[in-house]
Amino acid sequence: MHILVVHNRYSSAQPSGENKVVDQEVELLRAAGHRVETFERRSDDIADRSLLGKAAVPLLVPWNPGARAELTARLRTGRPDVVHVHNVFPLLSPAVLAACADVGVPAVATLHNYTQVCPPGTLQRDGRPCTECVGSTPLPAVRHGCYRGSRLATVPLAVSLSVNRRRWWSGVERFLCISAAQRDVLVGAGMPAERLAVKHNFVPDPQTRRTGDGEHLLYLGRLAEAKGVRLLMAAWDEVAAGGGVGVPLVIAGTGPLEREVTAWAQGRDDVRYVGLYDTAECQKALARSVAVVAPSTWLEAFGLVVVEAMAAGVPTVAAGHGAFVELVEDGVSGLLHRPGDRASLASCLRRIATGQDRNREMGRAARRRYEQGFSPAVGLERLEEEYRTALAGRSQSMGDETMGGSK
């Protein structure tokens, strides 16, 4: 197949699981013999714009006519079989769907978060789950300034959600949800259930896997409130007050809480803050882990680091909500703690780090789970299946229009 991948790349200053997923899917499809091209914008490029250009960016969030015109020309020239849309914020906008309609190319969209029903896409406010905008207008998000704590910054996202809701629902042949938990939320919000399929992200088989018992517990991700970083620090202090678990906590990543994490870790033997790791360093750190910790306070739509741990044969301690519930088999391939509960997280950290025989068995179970559901072979099969379904759906709808026009 000839596939055009549409994606607005997130800032390179912070780790982006979404960028990683897009790159891995492109590489996987090309390796399988498909012709894959990309149509991209980069958030990094905003910094190079003039002052007037930067001021105009919020106006492009709901609708970017330039992106529509450019993509339409590209589609007419290249004639791909299918367009696969990922992120369109802030420089592409849902105008890319109009371009697909202009040329008659079916669109498939991976939903990496909850932006279809929540302006910031997190289903969270003030560190707690929030569904106030789900199934209704996004005015509460503006009132609370849910995006970056700013009402002004939230307005373009709220406007885009309101004016483009029907365009998304009618202009995409197949929505790929990255977890069943995410699909349930979106169907409940009124999105067309027949177009929503669950397609978990896959992870490449790592070059290194865990061979021993591990050297540390690992947090790998963005240093943000929604990721449960403050919760983890509080739980680790409780663990340390009880004598520790014999291995340190390694925190790798960057984000808005970096200064707070740096100050907290400074001078401690039981904590190491190592900054932002590259891909090779991440794989090495994973393979040396007793367990990976994913204590998110928001409802994760997936949880890439959990699957990366599985691939390395490492169990996970994760919050017992959102997609983590379907990724981690509690007591089998890892442990689930009560969401937002410091004592519960601390207890799970102690359990995962002190029973070596049980930990090793959990690691083996995690690896089996990866092979069965999250390997490249499984990911390729699901992608190809959804593309074929989208093509068949478009062919059927065109046939129905032709028959309707002949009556």
Side-chain angles (χ1 to χ4, degrees), residues 376-387:
V378 174
L380 178 63
E381 181 182 354
R382 293 290 287 115
L383 273 174
E384 291 174 335
E385 178 185 342
E386 293 304 332
Y387 292 158

Side-chain angles (χ1 to χ4, degrees), residues 125-346:
R125 178 164 58 86
D126 297 331
R128 300 182 180 215
C130 174
T131 57
E132 203 171 341
C133 294
V134 176
S136 64
T137 65
L139 289 177
V142 176
R143 185 168 66 250
H144 298 301
C146 289
Y147 181 65
R148 295 185 173 178
S150 166
R151 291 178 179 174
L152 187 61
T154 306
V155 167
L157 288 162
V159 170
S160 183
L161 193 157
S162 296
V163 302
N164 291 308
R165 191 190 306 266
R166 291 297 169 188
R167 182 176 298 280
W168 277 107
W169 295 8
S170 64
V172 175
E173 288 290 334
R174 297 292 285 175
F175 289 102
L176 308 186
C177 300
I178 54 180
S179 68
Q182 181 195 36
R183 184 183 186 277
D184 289 345
V185 171
L186 298 177
V187 170
M191 288 188 69
E194 69 278 4
R195 296 191 184 190
L196 290 164
V198 176
K199 189 205 75 65
H200 293 127
N201 293 326
F202 77 93
V203 167
D205 205 337
Q207 297 178 353
T208 55
R209 297 186 211 165
R210 190 176 74 174
T211 55
D213 294 326
E215 304 169 2
H216 52 242
L217 291 162
L218 177 66
Y219 172 87
L220 182 64
R222 192 163 183 262
L223 305 185
E225 178 75 33
K227 292 294 185 178
V229 173
R230 286 198 176 108
L231 177 68
L232 175 58
M233 290 191 291
W236 191 253
D237 283 341
E238 184 173 317
V239 169
V245 291
V247 293
L249 171 67
V250 172
I251 297 180
T254 187
L257 298 183
E258 184 172 354
R259 285 188 180 181
E260 189 173 330
V261 170
T262 300
W264 175 73
Q266 192 170 12
R268 297 180 65 153
D269 295 329
D270 63 331
V271 180
R272 293 205 308 271
Y273 172 56
V274 296
L276 186 62
Y277 272 161
D278 61 25
T279 300
E281 290 170 325
C282 285
Q283 290 189 351
K284 290 178 183 177
L286 283 165
R288 294 172 181 165
S289 298
V290 172
V292 164
V293 190
S296 295
T297 57
W298 80 294
L299 297 174
E300 293 277 4
F302 188 60
L304 196 62
V305 70
V306 173
V307 181
E308 290 173 336
M310 289 180 188
V314 174
T316 304
V317 173
H321 60 176
F324 291 151
V325 175
E326 63 195 83
L327 296 181
V328 179
E329 298 172 89
D330 191 25
V332 178
S333 61
L335 298 175
L336 296 173
H337 69 86
R338 289 190 296 276
D341 190 315
R342 182 199 70 227
S344 177
L345 175 55

Side-chain angles (χ1 to χ4, degrees), residues 341-356:
D341 190 315
R342 182 199 70 227
S344 177
L345 175 55
S347 175
C348 287
L349 293 173
R350 292 190 196 97
R351 288 170 57 198
I352 205 83
T354 53
Q356 291 182 340

